[in-house]
Amino acid sequence: VLFDRKTKTFQDSVETIYQRLKQNGFQSSVIAGILGNMHVESGFSPEAESPDGSIGLLQWERSRKQDLIQTFPDTWNTIDSQLDFLFMEADSSSPYADERFVQFVDLCKRDSSGTPEYYSDLFQALIERNASYDHMPDASTPLRASLKRFSPIPNAYDSRYYFDAPRRRNYSRIYADCIALREADEQAAD
């Protein structure tokens, strides 16, 4: 995690994302959960592209990917355009509203007292929607990835077992700690 402990700021792209999420009303623990997922999905690169063709900060795919590119044909691969599209997906009145993203925002607004790990799980289940199982995968489960990339702790939102959940939760906790340092410094300055 690229966080300057002296200035209490994140590296450029992460700082931009943090500021935009905060400006759009997301609470610190929710922001940390989102940042943890973005860290794993794209390393905060808006130009990231996976072998399956998913693109951007959140690895948009299929119709969501096409909508992003059609909405921002010349700038789809910038942080600002992808965040603008993300907020469009979260807006129930937008033509690009994504039902699950609207649900995520609604749940976060109703209760933002959860842990960063909880919001990481919520984001992973509703937004990322990657590989998951009803039970903890074992050697008999047909996987394209190592079992080490699953957590024995089920998702806090839907009790499923998700790919890369341990990394997402871990990064979410680290981002939460950085945000807490930043907020303590801001409060001390007031």
Side-chain angles (χ1 to χ4, degrees), residues 2-168:
L2 299 173
F3 182 75
D4 185 325
R5 289 183 175 274
K6 184 176 180 183
T7 63
K8 307 294 190 280
T9 58
F10 293 106
Q11 168 263 347
D12 294 340
S13 60
V14 181
E15 183 66 20
T16 299
I17 295 164
Y18 168 80
Q19 290 294 339
R20 292 281 308 274
L21 291 170
K22 193 160 186 70
Q23 290 165 2
N24 278 273
F26 289 98
Q27 299 299 314
S28 299
S29 56
V30 177
I31 292 172
I34 294 171
L35 291 176
N37 274 276
M38 284 185 181
H39 187 112
V40 172
E41 286 296 314
S42 64
F44 301 104
S45 171
E47 296 180 345
E49 186 169 351
S50 68
D52 70 1
S54 302
I55 59 169
L57 295 169
L58 295 176
Q59 293 295 282
W60 280 277
E61 60 184 2
R62 296 184 285 280
S63 65
R64 293 171 73 205
K65 172 184 172 180
Q66 294 311 312
D67 288 344
L68 169 64
I69 293 170
Q70 287 173 357
T71 304
F72 300 100
D74 299 324
T75 61
W76 69 266
N77 60 346
T78 65
I79 287 175
D80 285 329
S81 291
Q82 289 183 23
L83 290 174
D84 287 345
F85 189 73
L86 178 78
F87 299 129
M88 291 167 72
E89 287 188 307
D91 179 357
S92 61
S93 66
S94 165
Y96 299 110
D98 180 274
E99 180 182 323
R100 294 176 91 177
F101 208 125
V102 171
Q103 182 183 4
F104 172 81
V105 171
D106 182 56
L107 289 168
C108 293
K109 284 182 179 177
R110 276 193 274 142
D111 180 14
S112 60
S113 64
T115 66
E117 294 86 354
Y118 170 77
Y119 293 111
S120 176
D121 281 3
L122 183 63
F123 196 84
Q124 186 172 24
L126 291 174
I127 311 305
E128 293 302 342
R129 311 167 198 173
N130 40 3
S132 68
Y133 298 89
D134 289 329
H135 56 83
M136 177 61 186
D138 58 27
S140 67
T141 308
L143 296 173
R144 290 186 281 169
S146 167
L147 287 173
K148 293 177 188 172
R149 293 181 73 177
F150 288 85
S151 171
I153 301 167
N155 185 288
Y157 172 70
D158 64 5
S159 299
R160 294 180 61 81
Y161 295 87
Y162 284 85
F163 180 68
D164 270 346
R167 290 179 61 215
R168 293 166 195 274

